[in-house]
Amino acid sequence: MYLFYNLCFAGASVLFRLGYRIRVVGRENLPKDRGYVLCPNHLSAIDPVFVILARGWGHPMWVMAKEELFHNPFLSWFFRKIGAFPIERGKGDKTVLNNAIASVRAGRSMLIFPEGTRNRKGEGMLPLKSGAFVVAQSAGADIVPCRIIYRGGRQHLFCTVTVAFGEPIPLESLNLGGEHAASKLRAAKAVLTERIGKLYEENRQYW
């Protein structure tokens, strides 16, 4: 899998850097010695490619992707080979979640779009889903906020794409679980939304 992933990474790196200007901010914030849950905003179907390229070389980044992408047999095979796995939106698939949790607990990085779907307006953030927090809490992992910014507000060929990684949000600071779990989860979602929004404010000159 690593060989196939790295070959795809190399090919995508060449193609996408020919077609886009990719600017990376805060790569040093990504933990190198432990698993983590990476949470970007979601604007375009090819957001995962930009995030993975911005992260750089290394072990495959596991990606939680919508189930519809896996209906085509070839695409299903390809996505699985590069570290993506399907989840049906709006349904709690325990097997999928358990596999994601085990991967992060084993020290792998997990890419989850907390909005659950693309924000086609590109403004602000959609209400966050709970999956990223469930994985982080169960795996004992920090959450890393990430902001994708397309110059002009939308993705198009030859545009400038900024991928900004924020400082990790320590799991213990979110205080998830236990009594009043629902209110704690709402507060954690507000924290992540604010941190992703802050990355936009810090890099808004590239909007």
Side-chain angles (χ1 to χ4, degrees):
M1 175 184 175
Y2 291 163
L3 175 60
F4 186 80
Y5 177 90
N6 286 328
L7 287 173
C8 290
F9 184 98
S13 181
V14 172
L15 290 174
F16 276 73
R17 292 184 188 280
L18 287 174
Y20 302 89
R21 181 186 175 192
I22 303 175
R23 176 179 176 271
V24 183
V25 179
R27 186 184 287 142
E28 67 277 4
N29 290 323
L30 298 175
K32 298 179 176 60
D33 57 349
R34 63 190 186 278
Y36 58 91
V37 179
L38 181 63
C39 292
N41 60 316
H42 198 6
L43 300 170
S44 166
I46 58 175
D47 287 346
V49 181
F50 290 117
V51 173
I52 291 170
L53 291 178
R55 171 181 174 261
W57 290 93
H59 290 300
M61 170 164 277
W62 299 84
V63 182
M64 186 178 288
K66 62 181 181 180
E67 187 266 343
E68 295 95 313
L69 295 175
F70 295 78
H71 289 176
N72 179 285
F74 172 76
L75 290 179
S76 178
W77 171 85
F78 177 78
F79 287 138
R80 292 176 191 276
K81 289 288 286 185
I82 60 172
F85 60 93
I87 186 164
E88 192 170 353
R89 290 180 293 193
K91 295 185 178 180
D93 188 325
K94 290 186 178 181
T95 301
V96 170
L97 286 176
N98 287 339
N99 288 339
I101 291 163
S103 296
V104 177
R105 194 176 286 156
R108 297 170 180 146
S109 53
M110 177 72 61
L111 172 59
I112 301 176
F113 290 99
E115 293 169 287
T117 189
R118 281 177 282 170
N119 183 351
R120 299 184 184 278
K121 292 184 178 180
E123 300 174 358
M125 295 281 292
L126 298 175
L128 304 190
K129 307 297 183 183
S130 302
F133 300 94
V134 172
V135 172
Q137 180 187 2
S138 300
D142 297 341
I143 293 176
V144 179
C146 175
R147 184 80 189 203
I148 303 166
I149 300 173
Y150 293 108
R151 189 76 167 185
R154 64 183 184 87
Q155 179 268 321
H156 59 85
L157 198 59
F158 304 122
C159 72
T160 297
V161 183
T162 298
V163 180
F165 300 107
E167 294 182 1
I169 303 173
L171 177 64
E172 56 269 21
S173 72
L174 297 176
N175 192 30
L176 295 168
E179 293 185 7
H180 311 295
S183 61
K184 290 178 181 177
L185 179 58
R186 285 194 296 271
K189 290 179 178 179
V191 169
L192 180 56
T193 299
E194 187 272 334
R195 292 285 294 274
I196 296 175
K198 182 180 178 181
L199 289 172
Y200 167 68
E201 293 300 325
E202 293 172 349
N203 297 276
R204 66 184 307 165
Q205 69 269 31
Y206 298 100
W207 184 260

